[in-house]
Amino acid sequence: MKPKAILPILFLALSTLLAFVADPNEMSFVKQHFSASEKQLGKLLDTANRVDTLYPRTIDQCGKVIFTNMYEWTSGFFAGSLWYGYEGTGNPQLKAQAIKWTEKLEPLKSFTEHHDLGFMVYCSYGNAYRMTKNEKYKDILVQAAQSLSTRFSEKTGVIKSWDKFGSWDGKGRYDFPVIIDNMMNLELLFFASKVTGNQSYREIALSHAEKTMQNQIRDDYSSYHVVCYDPQNGKVLSRETAQGYANNSTWARGQSWGIYGFTMTYRETQDPRYLKVASKMADYYIDHSDLPSDFVAYWDFNANQNGYTPSIRSKAKDTPTNYRDASAAAVTASALLELSTFSGINAKKYRDAGVKILKSLSGSAYFAKYGTNGGFLLRHSVGSIAHGVEIDVPLVYADYYYLEALNRYRKILSAA
Ligand code: GLY
């Protein structure tokens, strides 16, 4: 090879290397935001510890913290945020509080009423076990995986998300709805098989992921929010939305759950089909013509567009503002940072996009000033515009995935 021909190769190799070498400025960005998060978490802790028996979720119009009981899908995120806060800062007080807020959730180990047990238990006890190796936490996680498994049906090959689903048009009533969010709960099942050697949890997760890949993802790798199955024979009866703009639209957080869920499923299986779905779903988000320049998506990729019509009973039609959803962005940032660690895909694209979202969320447009926002970290998330609730507010899960993304970025920088 002529020396001249080597130059571009050398240049490419050097620039790739430089891009991945730990950058002190980047590490100081991470440290600075862990420190701001630690202070703000202290504010929410003050309020939460006064209430003690309930779990913080968002704020009301006066800025007062709204709490839920432990059986709501969001109950484990506060404990999880405390674990990530502890991991990022080493503050032993955060660890003590993380233990306290995790251990209160023990009754969830036998909960079977909806699929969200994975969120509730894995974000709390999963992080607790990862960071302490306390065997008691492992046992609780395995019991929870057993409880979640009771919602799996051999006939449909999937885990039932909710017991019932009614279409927004009032016409359809279904007994076996599965939502894209359910991909997130598979991580608990993969964990349980790894620590027990009992493959049945993993088999359920694999079956669910396979069916979701077949039935819930469109040809352009956007996603349906809800797929309703016939419980007798597993046939797909309908594809609709619960929290998105319209049945044929792409609800931003649903897309984020899919990117995250299939990325995690690839990590657990090394099956390249899941890597392909994860990266194509990520491309849908990153390359979308309506993605704002800060990469924090509007709450639905098709809201208020021609060709997409909310059902008459959905409140989506009453909301002409295209609100951003910082929670969808936080989930996506965390997923993209993990996706960027795998080979065989455009890792740099996913890392750059993940970091870009993380930086946007860390800026003053989203990251709350100390003492404001009820003590939550991020502003401008959306719970469900279709139901007319939690619009442009902080949400505890946005904070959880933001802190997870910050931790993932710290680890990527440290490994460089
Ligand atoms: N898993 C419910 C939601 O994303 O709102």
Side-chain angles (χ1 to χ4, degrees):
M1 197 184 282
K2 290 187 183 155
K4 248 187 168 175
I6 298 174
L7 278 178
I9 298 169
L10 271 180
F11 178 75
L12 189 69
L14 197 65
S15 48
T16 309
L17 190 70
L18 282 177
F20 286 88
V21 164
D23 178 339
N25 291 333
E26 291 304 282
M27 210 40 130
S28 96
F29 154 79
V30 169
K31 282 204 176 121
Q32 197 189 329
H33 282 87
F34 267 124
S35 159
S37 301
E38 177 186 17
K39 272 179 71 186
Q40 184 77 339
L41 274 171
K43 277 277 164 199
L44 185 53
L45 264 171
D46 287 346
T47 312
N49 279 329
R50 277 199 298 274
V51 173
D52 201 41
T53 51
L54 297 171
Y55 301 83
R57 166 137 153 181
T58 181
I59 56 174
D60 66 15
Q61 281 175 342
C62 307
K64 211 168 147 251
V65 176
I66 295 178
F67 291 87
T68 70
N69 68 31
M70 79 167 75
Y71 301 104
E72 282 287 323
W73 78 278
T74 50
S75 63
F77 291 117
F78 185 50
S81 294
L82 295 170
W83 283 114
Y84 280 133
Y86 165 60
E87 188 171 9
T89 62
N91 177 345
Q93 280 169 346
L94 281 182
K95 181 180 181 185
Q97 291 294 329
I99 291 173
K100 173 181 156 182
W101 281 90
T102 298
E103 291 188 348
K104 284 197 271 193
L105 295 168
E106 183 169 347
L108 291 179
K109 65 189 178 193
S110 44
F111 181 73
T112 57
E113 283 168 35
H114 56 69
H115 72 127
D116 287 316
L117 200 57
F119 284 115
M120 294 144 82
V121 169
Y122 203 69
C123 299
S124 52
Y125 279 99
N127 280 307
Y129 180 67
R130 183 174 64 81
M131 298 210 58
T132 64
K133 293 288 172 270
N134 181 333
E135 288 292 302
K136 189 174 151 211
Y137 298 159
K138 184 174 84 180
D139 295 343
I140 289 167
L141 286 158
V142 173
Q143 286 182 57
Q146 182 53 41
S147 300
L148 179 59
S149 303
T150 63
R151 298 189 66 82
F152 179 75
S153 150
E154 293 286 350
K155 283 190 181 147
T156 58
V158 278
I159 299 163
K160 192 196 310 200
S161 298
W162 304 319
D163 288 347
K164 295 251 175 277
F165 174 70
S167 310
W168 276 116
D169 65 9
K171 292 182 187 147
R173 297 284 308 160
Y174 300 98
D175 295 331
F176 208 114
V178 173
I179 60 174
I180 185 74
D181 324 27
N182 209 334
M183 283 299 298
M184 302 294 286
N185 296 311
L186 307 185
E187 196 165 7
L188 173 66
L189 301 178
F190 285 122
F191 168 86
S193 277
K194 279 188 287 195
V195 295
T196 60
N198 175 350
Q199 292 308 305
S200 68
Y201 306 115
R202 181 182 168 85
E203 279 157 19
I204 290 172
L206 291 178
S207 172
H208 188 94
E210 183 76 36
K211 293 277 177 193
T212 303
M213 184 165 63
Q214 283 167 16
N215 297 327
Q216 207 131 4
I217 312 302
R218 303 188 186 101
D219 289 349
D220 65 355
Y221 291 91
S222 66
S223 46
Y224 289 100
H225 183 201
V226 188
V227 173
C228 300
Y229 290 86
D230 185 326
Q232 299 313 323
N233 56 25
K235 266 177 59 182
V236 172
L237 298 175
S238 80
R239 293 179 170 91
E240 310 193 9
T241 197
Q243 283 160 265
Y245 185 73
N247 289 341
N248 60 339
S249 75
T250 300
W251 175 49
R253 196 164 57 250
Q255 189 71 11
S256 310
W257 294 140
I259 300 168
Y260 191 117
F262 283 108
T263 299
M264 176 274 296
T265 303
Y266 174 67
R267 180 219 305 148
E268 297 298 333
T269 61
Q270 299 298 302
D271 181 336
R273 295 174 312 140
Y274 294 126
L275 183 62
K276 182 172 173 195
V277 178
S279 64
K280 296 276 187 192
M281 289 188 83
D283 291 343
Y284 180 91
Y285 183 111
I286 298 166
D287 301 335
H288 201 281
S289 56
D290 286 332
L291 184 67
S293 59
D294 63 5
F295 279 31
V296 177
Y298 297 115
W299 71 279
D300 189 297
F301 282 97
N302 309 109
N304 301 304
Q305 290 173 2
N306 287 336
Y308 301 89
T309 312
S311 280
I312 188 77
R313 297 178 198 200
S314 162
K315 292 203 166 63
K317 66 183 180 333
D318 309 329
T319 313
T321 309
N322 276 356
Y323 288 101
R324 305 295 190 89
D325 185 3
S327 75
V331 173
T332 304
S334 186
L336 292 176
L337 288 169
E338 171 157 46
L339 189 58
S340 77
T341 63
F342 300 139
S343 51
I345 44 165
N346 189 348
K348 184 171 179 328
K349 172 180 178 177
Y350 301 128
R351 175 178 157 148
D352 287 352
V355 172
K356 185 171 174 118
I357 296 174
L358 198 50
K359 297 255 167 103
S360 296
L361 296 178
S362 302
S364 58
Y366 297 95
F367 199 91
K369 278 207 188 84
Y370 173 60
T372 66
N373 208 34
F376 290 95
L377 307 181
L378 299 184
R379 304 152 68 213
H380 305 310
S381 288
V382 160
S384 181
I385 285 185
H387 295 88
V389 295
E390 299 173 339
I391 301 173
D392 200 22
V393 291
L395 287 167
V396 67
Y397 43 97
D399 291 3
Y400 173 86
Y401 288 102
Y402 169 80
L403 289 170
E404 183 178 79
L406 209 53
N407 255 308
R408 285 183 169 175
Y409 190 36
R410 182 177 60 83
K411 286 181 188 168
I412 288 172
L413 291 168
S414 310

